Amino acid sequence: MTRVVLAPDSFKGTITAADAATALADGWATVDPTAEFVHRPMADGGEGTVAAFEAAVPGAVRMPITVDGPAGEKIDTSWLLLPPTRDTPAGTAVIDLGSTSGIELLRELRPWDADTTGLGQALAAALDHGVSRLVVGIGSSASTDGGTGMLSALGALFLDAAGAPVPRGARGLASVASADLTALRPAPEVRVLTDVTNPLTGPRGAAAVFGPQKGLRSPDDI
C-alpha cells in the first residue's frame, strides 16, 4: 500500500491548504484507491496558519471570537489553543493575522484605512485566557499600519502633535508624534512567524515592497 504525505500551502484567494490536500487525495485515490493519505497542510505565517497547526497538533482546540476586521466590520474567526506542555503549562495560543486582519477579508482594497485592530483583539482574547505562549503569524495583511491597530487594541495610544488620537490605518502614521505605552498589556513568551525581513519604511520597507499589493499605486502613496 502506498503512503502519501500531502503538504500543500494554500492557493491564495482560491483554495485553502487543507482543501488543497483533500482535493489532491481525492484525485490520487481515483487511480490508487488503496493509498493511505497523511494530511499535513502548510502555511508560511499567512492565511491558513491556524488551520495548519490544527491539522498537525492533536488536541488543539479552536477558540471562536468576533473581531473588528480590516474594514471595521465584525468578523467571526478563531484562535487556536494548543495543549499544555512542560514549558507552556497554560497552553499556547496560535493566532494568524490573515484570519483577523487579512487582505482576503476585504471586498475591496483599503490601502489608507485598513488596519490590524482585529489581530490585537484576538491577542487580547488569548491573553485573557491566560496562555503561556503566543505564536503569531503576520502574513497576508490588508494594511501597512505598522501594527498600530494591533497595539491600540492592546492598550497603546498613538497621538498627534496636538495630543489627539491619530486615525486608524496608514492614514494616521505620518501624524504620529508620540506613543503612550503605559497601558500596553504585558505578554508572555511571543514567537512571530514570518517569511520576510522588511522594515516598515525605506526602499526595502513594507510600504514600498508590499504597498502595491494592498492598493498603494504610486511613489507618492508610499
Side-chain angles (χ1 to χ4, degrees):
M1 182 175 63
T2 305
R3 189 167 187 259
V4 183
V5 178
L6 300 170
D9 199 345
S10 65
F11 290 65
K12 186 181 288 289
T14 57
I15 188 172
T16 67
D19 288 342
T22 298
L24 289 167
D26 290 344
W28 192 299
T30 63
V31 295
D32 186 3
T34 64
E36 175 189 349
F37 300 102
V38 179
H39 290 241
R40 293 292 184 267
M42 300 181 68
D44 61 0
E47 78 285 347
T49 295
V50 164
F53 271 90
E54 184 180 26
V57 181
V61 178
R62 288 266 188 169
M63 307 293 285
I65 52 171
T66 300
V67 302
D68 294 332
E73 79 285 11
K74 297 297 182 182
I75 298 291
D76 292 325
T77 185
S78 60
W79 58 277
L80 191 69
L81 178 62
L82 304 186
T85 68
R86 182 179 63 182
D87 294 332
T88 59
T92 294
V94 181
I95 299 163
D96 65 47
L97 186 154
S99 64
T100 56
S101 305
I103 195 168
E104 294 182 342
L105 299 175
L106 292 176
R107 288 185 290 272
E108 60 182 8
L109 297 177
R110 297 168 57 88
W112 288 106
D113 301 307
D115 67 82
T116 53
T117 298
L119 175 61
Q121 291 169 335
L123 290 168
L127 292 175
D128 289 343
H129 192 81
V131 297
S132 301
R133 177 186 292 160
L134 296 172
V135 175
V136 188
I138 60 170
S140 302
S141 173
S143 71
T144 51
D145 74 344
T148 52
M150 173 195 70
L151 292 169
S152 295
L154 292 170
L157 188 61
F158 297 92
L159 305 173
D160 62 19
V166 301
R168 289 184 177 184
R171 189 179 304 279
L173 288 182
S175 59
V176 174
S178 64
D180 182 354
L181 305 183
T182 305
L184 184 65
R185 296 188 60 168
E189 177 187 351
V190 180
R191 297 185 179 180
V192 177
L193 308 180
T194 178
D195 62 350
V196 300
T197 57
N198 303 77
L200 177 62
T201 59
R204 290 188 58 256
V209 175
F210 302 108
Q213 178 192 68
K214 306 175 199 316
L216 297 175
R217 299 302 183 190
S218 74
D220 291 338
D221 286 337
I222 299 171

